[in-house]
Amino acid sequence: MILFILELVALIATFYLLLGSNFTNKPLKIIGACLITCVYCVFILLKSFVIPFTFIYIFILALLFKEKLSFIMSWIVICTLIEMIVGYSFINVVYMITRDIDRNIFSFSPQLDYYLFAFQIALSFLVRKRRNIHAKFLHEIDSKSYWYLFTISLLSICFISFTEAFLYSEIDKSGYYFTALSVMIAIIVILFVTSIVAIILRRYNIKLQHINYLKQKCLDLEKANYFDSITSYEEIRAFRHDYNSHLLALTNLAERKEWDKLTKYIYNLSIDKNSFNLYNISTGNVTADAIINHFQHSLEDDIVFKINGQFQKECFVEDMDICIILSNLLNNAHEAFEYIERACAKEIILSIAVDSGKMVFMVENTSKPYSDKELENLQTSKPDKLNHGFGLINVRQVSEKYHGELLVKFSDGFFITTIILYER
């Protein structure tokens, strides 16, 4: 039972301190995890029914942590596999040093497990301050890759167990036993490392595809903005060409005091003027202009959109990152209107501020009320994907890239998102 409790504590420490997992905030799940632990300890004492520890750990940790099942199962099996490899490697090292084999050496395995679990706990506490660095990568791995890791690790454990049981019968042939055991461990390590490398390459491939998509999106928006600008310019030229003729016609109607015709002419002229876009936003950055103008043209008539600030001529923020920030924040602001009453005024304000080595983007939009707890969840890895949370993970990654921060708050009916970036 002590071994079971110690390994469970080691796994909890690993998940929380090393892997960056967060505990659940649901009391029933915590109670369920404690109940399973207590019941299994009783079973161990009575020896009436014993299930392999690994399966029990999966149930307990799935209740304790806010993680996908693939993540929990994979890391539990990986920890078990590492423990087995270290254990058998230690036995091989002892043999190579002493060149003597005694069946009693295997009775040392439980004591070795105690030391391994104690080391696992100590290591988790030692690296806890740096967990955000390594945990970030581990949580970016997709479920499909984790299921692959789980399968490879589980098959490796089965292979080690069956092979060791077979080799144990030949333990008197010490050279044969330890050579075969060493080869087996080497194969498992190579297989596991190869799997990790494959997953890392797959992750970076997905990331590169996403970057290419964003770059193409920026190019498409810039191209669309360019053609819109040309169209608007031609329409303005056409309007200015007829400007004097319109003034002459209006003057003539006024002199003849044909007020009804004058009113109708002005009304028709106003409709004609509004049929094309006379106002094209310019912020001093081609990418930002493309995104903002495309966004403005797509807005409904009842939405007020304001923009304050300009980019400097030399901007340290890459165009792709500007695209990620503006497209996500503006789209989130627009989507937020789905959750407010129709009678409410709809307003979006984009502010851009530039200082020496510092750049700030702030988007304010009319919003439903948010509690402090909801805002706190939005700032963690559990965004409210039905509202402002969608896309905030990508925006947060950009802020981290520039050693900045992402801030959200609700004030006076407005949801306010602020991105602060620093020149690297």
Short mmCIF file of all heavy atoms in Angstrom, two decimals, residues 281-292 307-319 321-323 325-326 350-355 358-361 421:
data_model
loop_
_atom_site.label_atom_id
_atom_site.label_comp_id
_atom_site.label_asym_id
_atom_site.label_seq_id
_atom_site.Cartn_x
_atom_site.Cartn_y
_atom_site.Cartn_z
N ILE A 281 -9.65 53.78 -44.08
CA ILE A 281 -8.81 53.95 -42.89
C ILE A 281 -7.35 53.74 -43.25
O ILE A 281 -6.99 52.82 -43.97
CB ILE A 281 -9.23 52.95 -41.80
CG1 ILE A 281 -10.65 53.25 -41.35
CG2 ILE A 281 -8.28 53.01 -40.62
CD1 ILE A 281 -11.22 52.22 -40.40
N SER A 282 -6.50 54.62 -42.73
CA SER A 282 -5.06 54.50 -42.94
C SER A 282 -4.36 54.63 -41.59
O SER A 282 -4.49 55.65 -40.91
CB SER A 282 -4.57 55.58 -43.90
OG SER A 282 -3.17 55.50 -44.05
N THR A 283 -3.61 53.58 -41.21
CA THR A 283 -2.92 53.57 -39.92
C THR A 283 -1.40 53.67 -40.08
O THR A 283 -0.68 53.73 -39.08
CB THR A 283 -3.23 52.27 -39.16
OG1 THR A 283 -2.72 51.16 -39.90
CG2 THR A 283 -4.73 52.11 -38.95
N GLY A 284 -0.93 53.67 -41.32
CA GLY A 284 0.51 53.72 -41.53
C GLY A 284 1.14 52.35 -41.67
O GLY A 284 2.36 52.25 -41.79
N ASN A 285 0.32 51.28 -41.67
CA ASN A 285 0.83 49.92 -41.83
C ASN A 285 -0.07 49.21 -42.83
O ASN A 285 -1.29 49.15 -42.66
CB ASN A 285 0.84 49.19 -40.49
CG ASN A 285 1.39 47.78 -40.60
OD1 ASN A 285 0.68 46.85 -40.96
ND2 ASN A 285 2.67 47.62 -40.27
N VAL A 286 0.55 48.68 -43.89
CA VAL A 286 -0.22 48.07 -44.98
C VAL A 286 -1.06 46.90 -44.50
O VAL A 286 -2.25 46.77 -44.83
CB VAL A 286 0.74 47.61 -46.11
CG1 VAL A 286 -0.05 46.89 -47.20
CG2 VAL A 286 1.48 48.78 -46.68
N THR A 287 -0.47 46.02 -43.69
CA THR A 287 -1.19 44.84 -43.20
C THR A 287 -2.35 45.25 -42.31
O THR A 287 -3.47 44.74 -42.45
CB THR A 287 -0.23 43.92 -42.42
OG1 THR A 287 0.82 43.49 -43.28
CG2 THR A 287 -0.98 42.70 -41.89
N ALA A 288 -2.10 46.17 -41.40
CA ALA A 288 -3.16 46.64 -40.49
C ALA A 288 -4.29 47.31 -41.28
O ALA A 288 -5.47 47.08 -41.01
CB ALA A 288 -2.58 47.61 -39.46
N ASP A 289 -3.93 48.13 -42.27
CA ASP A 289 -4.95 48.79 -43.08
C ASP A 289 -5.83 47.79 -43.80
O ASP A 289 -7.06 47.95 -43.88
CB ASP A 289 -4.28 49.72 -44.11
CG ASP A 289 -3.62 50.92 -43.46
OD1 ASP A 289 -3.90 51.17 -42.27
OD2 ASP A 289 -2.82 51.59 -44.14
N ALA A 290 -5.20 46.73 -44.34
CA ALA A 290 -5.97 45.71 -45.07
C ALA A 290 -6.97 45.02 -44.15
O ALA A 290 -8.14 44.84 -44.50
CB ALA A 290 -5.01 44.68 -45.67
N ILE A 291 -6.52 44.66 -42.95
CA ILE A 291 -7.39 43.95 -42.01
C ILE A 291 -8.50 44.86 -41.50
O ILE A 291 -9.68 44.49 -41.47
CB ILE A 291 -6.57 43.41 -40.83
CG1 ILE A 291 -5.59 42.35 -41.32
CG2 ILE A 291 -7.48 42.82 -39.75
CD1 ILE A 291 -4.54 41.97 -40.30
N ILE A 292 -8.14 46.09 -41.12
CA ILE A 292 -9.11 47.02 -40.53
C ILE A 292 -10.15 47.44 -41.55
O ILE A 292 -11.36 47.48 -41.26
CB ILE A 292 -8.38 48.24 -39.95
CG1 ILE A 292 -7.51 47.82 -38.75
CG2 ILE A 292 -9.38 49.31 -39.52
CD1 ILE A 292 -6.58 48.90 -38.25
N ILE A 307 -11.47 54.18 -34.54
CA ILE A 307 -10.06 53.80 -34.44
C ILE A 307 -9.23 55.01 -34.04
O ILE A 307 -9.45 56.12 -34.53
CB ILE A 307 -9.55 53.20 -35.77
CG1 ILE A 307 -8.08 52.80 -35.64
CG2 ILE A 307 -9.76 54.13 -36.93
CD1 ILE A 307 -7.56 51.95 -36.77
N ASN A 308 -8.30 54.78 -33.12
CA ASN A 308 -7.42 55.84 -32.65
C ASN A 308 -5.97 55.38 -32.76
O ASN A 308 -5.66 54.23 -32.47
CB ASN A 308 -7.72 56.18 -31.18
CG ASN A 308 -9.17 56.55 -30.95
OD1 ASN A 308 -9.72 57.37 -31.66
ND2 ASN A 308 -9.79 55.91 -29.96
N GLY A 309 -5.08 56.29 -33.16
CA GLY A 309 -3.67 55.98 -33.17
C GLY A 309 -3.13 55.59 -34.53
O GLY A 309 -3.89 55.30 -35.46
N GLN A 310 -1.81 55.58 -34.62
CA GLN A 310 -1.12 55.27 -35.86
C GLN A 310 0.11 54.40 -35.58
O GLN A 310 0.65 54.41 -34.47
CB GLN A 310 -0.65 56.57 -36.54
CG GLN A 310 -1.77 57.41 -37.14
CD GLN A 310 -2.12 56.97 -38.54
OE1 GLN A 310 -1.25 56.62 -39.33
NE2 GLN A 310 -3.40 56.97 -38.86
N PHE A 311 0.54 53.67 -36.59
CA PHE A 311 1.80 52.95 -36.52
C PHE A 311 2.94 53.91 -36.83
O PHE A 311 2.76 54.88 -37.57
CB PHE A 311 1.84 51.80 -37.54
CG PHE A 311 1.03 50.60 -37.14
CD1 PHE A 311 -0.33 50.55 -37.37
CD2 PHE A 311 1.64 49.51 -36.55
CE1 PHE A 311 -1.08 49.45 -37.02
CE2 PHE A 311 0.92 48.39 -36.20
CZ PHE A 311 -0.46 48.36 -36.42
N GLN A 312 4.10 53.63 -36.28
CA GLN A 312 5.29 54.36 -36.67
C GLN A 312 5.82 53.82 -37.99
O GLN A 312 5.47 52.72 -38.40
CB GLN A 312 6.38 54.24 -35.60
CG GLN A 312 6.07 55.02 -34.33
CD GLN A 312 7.20 54.94 -33.33
OE1 GLN A 312 8.04 54.06 -33.39
NE2 GLN A 312 7.20 55.87 -32.37
N LYS A 313 6.66 54.59 -38.64
CA LYS A 313 7.19 54.18 -39.92
C LYS A 313 7.97 52.87 -39.80
O LYS A 313 7.85 51.97 -40.63
CB LYS A 313 8.09 55.28 -40.49
CG LYS A 313 8.56 54.99 -41.90
CD LYS A 313 9.35 56.16 -42.46
CE LYS A 313 9.79 55.88 -43.88
NZ LYS A 313 10.57 57.01 -44.45
N GLU A 314 8.77 52.76 -38.74
CA GLU A 314 9.51 51.53 -38.46
C GLU A 314 8.81 50.78 -37.33
O GLU A 314 8.79 51.25 -36.20
CB GLU A 314 10.96 51.84 -38.07
CG GLU A 314 11.77 52.53 -39.15
CD GLU A 314 11.99 51.65 -40.36
OE1 GLU A 314 12.02 50.41 -40.17
OE2 GLU A 314 12.12 52.17 -41.48
N CYS A 315 8.21 49.65 -37.65
CA CYS A 315 7.46 48.87 -36.66
C CYS A 315 8.19 47.57 -36.37
O CYS A 315 8.54 46.82 -37.29
CB CYS A 315 6.05 48.57 -37.17
SG CYS A 315 5.05 47.61 -36.03
N PHE A 316 8.45 47.29 -35.09
CA PHE A 316 9.19 46.09 -34.72
C PHE A 316 8.33 44.83 -34.70
O PHE A 316 8.84 43.72 -34.59
CB PHE A 316 9.88 46.26 -33.36
CG PHE A 316 8.93 46.43 -32.19
CD1 PHE A 316 8.40 45.33 -31.54
CD2 PHE A 316 8.59 47.69 -31.75
CE1 PHE A 316 7.53 45.47 -30.47
CE2 PHE A 316 7.73 47.85 -30.67
CZ PHE A 316 7.20 46.74 -30.03
N VAL A 317 7.01 45.00 -34.80
CA VAL A 317 6.10 43.85 -34.80
C VAL A 317 5.95 43.32 -36.22
O VAL A 317 5.67 44.09 -37.15
CB VAL A 317 4.71 44.23 -34.23
CG1 VAL A 317 3.81 43.00 -34.16
CG2 VAL A 317 4.85 44.87 -32.86
N GLU A 318 6.13 42.02 -36.41
CA GLU A 318 6.04 41.42 -37.73
C GLU A 318 4.61 41.48 -38.26
O GLU A 318 3.64 41.45 -37.49
CB GLU A 318 6.51 39.96 -37.68
CG GLU A 318 7.98 39.81 -37.31
CD GLU A 318 8.40 38.36 -37.20
OE1 GLU A 318 7.57 37.48 -37.56
OE2 GLU A 318 9.53 38.09 -36.75
N ASP A 319 4.49 41.55 -39.59
CA ASP A 319 3.17 41.67 -40.22
C ASP A 319 2.26 40.50 -39.85
O ASP A 319 1.05 40.69 -39.63
CB ASP A 319 3.32 41.74 -41.74
CG ASP A 319 3.91 43.07 -42.20
OD1 ASP A 319 3.88 44.02 -41.40
OD2 ASP A 319 4.39 43.15 -43.33
N ASP A 321 2.23 38.77 -37.13
CA ASP A 321 1.76 38.94 -35.74
C ASP A 321 0.70 40.02 -35.65
O ASP A 321 -0.25 39.91 -34.87
CB ASP A 321 2.95 39.26 -34.83
CG ASP A 321 3.96 38.12 -34.80
OD1 ASP A 321 3.53 36.96 -34.90
OD2 ASP A 321 5.17 38.39 -34.67
N ILE A 322 0.85 41.08 -36.45
CA ILE A 322 -0.19 42.12 -36.52
C ILE A 322 -1.49 41.52 -37.02
O ILE A 322 -2.58 41.82 -36.51
CB ILE A 322 0.27 43.29 -37.43
CG1 ILE A 322 1.44 44.03 -36.78
CG2 ILE A 322 -0.89 44.25 -37.69
CD1 ILE A 322 2.07 45.08 -37.68
N CYS A 323 -1.36 40.65 -38.01
CA CYS A 323 -2.54 39.98 -38.57
C CYS A 323 -3.23 39.13 -37.51
O CYS A 323 -4.46 39.16 -37.37
CB CYS A 323 -2.12 39.12 -39.76
SG CYS A 323 -3.45 38.15 -40.49
N ILE A 325 -3.11 39.42 -34.19
CA ILE A 325 -3.69 40.26 -33.13
C ILE A 325 -4.96 40.93 -33.60
O ILE A 325 -6.03 40.80 -32.97
CB ILE A 325 -2.66 41.31 -32.66
CG1 ILE A 325 -1.51 40.63 -31.92
CG2 ILE A 325 -3.33 42.34 -31.75
CD1 ILE A 325 -0.37 41.57 -31.58
N LEU A 326 -4.89 41.66 -34.72
CA LEU A 326 -6.04 42.45 -35.15
C LEU A 326 -7.20 41.58 -35.62
O LEU A 326 -8.36 41.83 -35.26
CB LEU A 326 -5.61 43.41 -36.27
CG LEU A 326 -4.66 44.54 -35.86
CD1 LEU A 326 -4.30 45.40 -37.06
CD2 LEU A 326 -5.30 45.40 -34.77
N LEU A 350 -10.94 50.59 -31.55
CA LEU A 350 -9.58 50.07 -31.67
C LEU A 350 -8.59 51.20 -31.42
O LEU A 350 -8.65 52.24 -32.09
CB LEU A 350 -9.36 49.47 -33.06
CG LEU A 350 -7.91 49.11 -33.43
CD1 LEU A 350 -7.36 48.03 -32.51
CD2 LEU A 350 -7.81 48.68 -34.89
N SER A 351 -7.68 50.99 -30.48
CA SER A 351 -6.66 52.00 -30.16
C SER A 351 -5.28 51.39 -30.36
O SER A 351 -5.02 50.26 -29.95
CB SER A 351 -6.81 52.49 -28.72
OG SER A 351 -8.09 53.05 -28.51
N ILE A 352 -4.42 52.17 -31.01
CA ILE A 352 -3.04 51.75 -31.25
C ILE A 352 -2.11 52.81 -30.67
O ILE A 352 -2.21 53.99 -31.03
CB ILE A 352 -2.76 51.58 -32.76
CG1 ILE A 352 -3.72 50.55 -33.37
CG2 ILE A 352 -1.31 51.17 -33.00
CD1 ILE A 352 -3.70 50.52 -34.89
N ALA A 353 -1.23 52.41 -29.77
CA ALA A 353 -0.30 53.34 -29.14
C ALA A 353 1.12 52.82 -29.29
O ALA A 353 1.38 51.64 -29.08
CB ALA A 353 -0.64 53.52 -27.67
N VAL A 354 2.01 53.72 -29.66
CA VAL A 354 3.40 53.34 -29.87
C VAL A 354 4.29 54.24 -29.02
O VAL A 354 4.13 55.46 -29.01
CB VAL A 354 3.81 53.47 -31.35
CG1 VAL A 354 5.25 53.01 -31.55
CG2 VAL A 354 2.88 52.67 -32.23
N ASP A 355 5.20 53.61 -28.28
CA ASP A 355 6.18 54.33 -27.47
C ASP A 355 7.55 53.75 -27.79
O ASP A 355 7.66 52.79 -28.54
CB ASP A 355 5.84 54.17 -25.98
CG ASP A 355 6.52 55.24 -25.13
OD1 ASP A 355 7.27 56.05 -25.71
OD2 ASP A 355 6.29 55.27 -23.91
N LYS A 358 7.98 49.96 -27.34
CA LYS A 358 6.75 49.40 -26.77
C LYS A 358 5.58 49.70 -27.70
O LYS A 358 5.49 50.78 -28.28
CB LYS A 358 6.51 50.01 -25.39
CG LYS A 358 5.24 49.55 -24.70
CD LYS A 358 5.11 50.25 -23.35
CE LYS A 358 3.82 49.89 -22.64
NZ LYS A 358 3.70 50.61 -21.35
N MET A 359 4.67 48.73 -27.83
CA MET A 359 3.48 48.91 -28.66
C MET A 359 2.27 48.31 -27.96
O MET A 359 2.36 47.22 -27.39
CB MET A 359 3.68 48.26 -30.03
CG MET A 359 2.60 48.62 -31.03
SD MET A 359 3.12 48.29 -32.71
CE MET A 359 1.82 49.14 -33.60
N VAL A 360 1.16 49.04 -28.01
CA VAL A 360 -0.06 48.61 -27.31
C VAL A 360 -1.23 48.59 -28.29
O VAL A 360 -1.46 49.56 -29.03
CB VAL A 360 -0.39 49.55 -26.13
CG1 VAL A 360 -1.67 49.08 -25.43
CG2 VAL A 360 0.77 49.61 -25.14
N PHE A 361 -1.94 47.47 -28.31
CA PHE A 361 -3.20 47.35 -29.03
C PHE A 361 -4.31 47.20 -28.00
O PHE A 361 -4.20 46.36 -27.10
CB PHE A 361 -3.21 46.11 -29.95
CG PHE A 361 -2.19 46.15 -31.04
CD1 PHE A 361 -0.91 45.65 -30.84
CD2 PHE A 361 -2.50 46.65 -32.29
CE1 PHE A 361 0.04 45.65 -31.84
CE2 PHE A 361 -1.56 46.67 -33.31
CZ PHE A 361 -0.28 46.17 -33.08
N LEU A 421 3.24 44.82 -26.21
CA LEU A 421 4.39 44.16 -26.84
C LEU A 421 5.64 45.02 -26.63
O LEU A 421 5.56 46.25 -26.64
CB LEU A 421 4.16 43.96 -28.34
CG LEU A 421 2.86 43.27 -28.77
CD1 LEU A 421 2.78 43.22 -30.28
CD2 LEU A 421 2.77 41.88 -28.17
#
